Amino acid sequence: MGYHGGTELASVYQDALAGEFGLIASNVAEPNTLIGLIEGAARVDSDLLLQMSNGACTFAGNGDPIAGLQAMGNYIELIADQYDIGVFLNMDHQTDLDTIQRQVELDIPSSIMIDASHEEFEENVTRSKRVVEMIDSAGADILVEAELGTIKGVEDEIVAEEAFYTDPEKAVEFIDRTGCDLLAISVGTQHGVAKGADLELRPDLAGEIRTALRDHGLDTPLVLHGASGIQSEQLQRMIEHGICKINKDTRYQYEYTRTAYDLYRNNDESIVPPEGAGGDRKSFFNDVEWSPNKDYFDPRVAGRQIRNRIGEVYGELAHTSGSAGQSRYV
Ligand code: 13P
Ligand code: ZN
């Protein structure tokens, strides 16, 4: 139970590979999404992998990504202690080695993703290997995810105009030379708002990469980024072909805002005065009959609905990916 490091997370991935299920890696930037996810995962007995990008850490830390990691790391650890499931934290799409060094020194994350996929192959190898060495020499209990190929779209501070699918032989060489624990591959998904029907998905390529790695004695879990748009059957096909970490961010962002929007729109007469009523906010609309209603504008009202909706969405995803009922700790 509670919050765990890399060794435990590696065991979860081994279970996932053996049992052919996937872990939905869920991005967070603030506490409502985080609590919704933990609650949702606990309801379906799934272990939970959270992740934070550099932008999310910077947001949570009021401009300071390391403060954001410390604050959210504490928050996650304390809330995770309330539940029986295992909770983990990945640092998503990290590009700056100095920031990674600080994350390693703090030893907060369960895993770190170094994203040097925009660099040439050799430079990608060099940077990814540096992160593995950093963690080894610090003796930290942190796994390393790296990326080979290019995933189209926009994810936080990462932008790619075009997709480059991952080459299986290069993937083997990459893992062999870097010693990374997980490999993010490009097989047709897209970061951001994407419709599954429009994507040129290549689960067969994921399978080829998995087989090529296995033929070289490497049992590396494969990671699917940009998974918000893909449909249940598409997701299951990817898992059958060796994907065992599935990244979702955009889906939760939409659910968050849509939930608040629906609440406020359906109760707008409790939040904004009727057109032409006059009065101002400073005086709490002293001069007019109308008053706002705290039952709707207290942010905790929307917050609770957001947590609940995010929990429901996570539960559905955990059933689709097969992690529901598979917690190592329950
Ligand atoms: P989406 O925003 O498309 O869900 O992608 C998430 C992701 O890949 C995080 O690394
Ligand atoms: Zn991503």
Side-chain angles (χ1 to χ4, degrees):
M1 67 170 256
Y3 181 66
H4 301 284
T7 308
E8 288 286 320
L9 180 56
S11 302
V12 174
Y13 286 127
Q14 286 316 310
D15 287 354
L17 285 172
E20 273 199 22
F21 67 87
L23 212 54
I24 306 287
S26 303
N27 285 69
V28 296
E30 53 71 59
N32 284 318
T33 309
L34 157 65
I35 291 178
L37 288 166
I38 297 193
E39 180 63 30
R43 269 187 230 139
V44 299
D45 289 346
S46 169
D47 292 323
L48 176 68
L49 176 56
L50 300 165
Q51 51 186 13
M52 293 186 76
S53 64
N54 192 56
C57 288
T58 305
F59 175 77
N62 193 26
D64 177 346
I66 295 303
L69 170 59
Q70 290 175 296
M72 289 294 279
N74 268 331
Y75 207 117
I76 290 167
E77 198 166 338
L78 291 170
I79 301 299
D81 278 343
Q82 300 172 350
Y83 293 90
D84 291 336
I85 55 163
V87 178
F88 304 90
L89 176 64
N90 176 51
M91 298 282 92
D92 194 26
H93 288 290
Q94 300 295 307
T95 54
D96 180 59
L97 293 178
D98 292 334
T99 305
I100 292 177
Q101 179 69 54
R102 288 288 294 128
Q103 294 166 350
V104 172
E105 284 162 10
L106 290 167
D107 204 6
I108 296 173
S110 319
S111 61
I112 296 176
M113 178 202 190
I114 163 73
D115 183 357
S117 59
H118 47 283
E119 304 288 348
E120 293 297 321
F121 182 79
E122 284 302 321
E123 183 61 17
N124 191 355
V125 168
T126 304
R127 290 194 194 189
S128 302
K129 195 169 171 198
R130 270 284 305 285
V131 175
V132 174
E133 288 165 355
M134 253 184 221
I135 290 169
D136 282 351
S137 59
D141 185 21
I142 301 174
L143 302 180
V144 179
E145 173 183 336
E147 178 173 321
L148 190 61
T150 307
I151 293 143
K152 194 176 155 185
V154 180
E155 174 62 23
D156 213 57
E157 296 160 342
I158 310 287
V159 181
E161 305 285 342
E162 226 186 314
F164 292 99
Y165 289 72
T166 307
D167 177 84
E169 287 312 312
K170 283 283 180 203
V172 173
E173 183 186 342
F174 186 84
I175 293 296
D176 212 26
R177 288 176 61 192
T178 59
C180 288
D181 304 288
L182 292 107
L183 184 65
I185 55 172
S186 174
V187 287
T189 51
Q190 195 174 312
H191 280 127
V193 176
K195 294 182 199 284
D198 298 339
L199 299 172
E200 284 179 45
L201 297 179
R202 295 275 318 272
D204 58 307
L205 180 58
E208 274 179 49
I209 295 168
R210 174 98 179 112
T211 305
L213 287 164
R214 276 198 140 160
D215 288 349
H216 285 76
L218 298 164
D219 202 21
T220 314
L222 300 177
V223 183
L224 188 69
H225 281 248
S228 279
I230 74 167
Q231 305 303 298
S232 301
E233 317 75 59
Q234 295 175 317
L235 180 61
Q236 283 164 344
R237 190 110 13 93
M238 287 291 182
I239 292 169
E240 284 161 20
H241 286 84
I243 294 287
C244 82
K245 171 175 182 271
I246 301 114
N247 287 11
K248 296 242 183 199
D249 183 5
T250 303
R251 175 75 199 280
Y252 302 121
Q253 292 175 333
Y254 181 77
E255 294 289 352
Y256 185 112
T257 300
R258 179 65 191 270
T259 303
Y261 174 81
D262 284 349
L263 171 71
Y264 295 144
R265 189 187 53 173
N266 293 336
N267 298 285
D268 70 338
E269 73 289 351
S270 301
I271 298 163
V272 288
E275 192 125 30
D280 67 25
R281 299 180 197 187
K282 263 190 308 204
S283 64
F284 257 124
F285 306 91
N286 215 35
D287 309 328
V288 294
E289 271 299 292
W290 181 88
S291 294
N293 185 344
K294 214 167 153 60
D295 289 349
Y296 297 98
F297 72 72
D298 181 336
R300 288 170 294 187
V301 176
R304 283 188 199 98
Q305 293 194 9
I306 289 164
R307 292 175 185 190
N308 196 40
R309 179 63 191 144
I310 298 279
E312 275 172 12
V313 169
Y314 183 86
E316 287 163 15
L317 291 170
H319 279 293
T320 302
S321 76
S323 69
Q326 298 284 354
S327 171
R328 284 177 66 80
Y329 308 91
V330 177

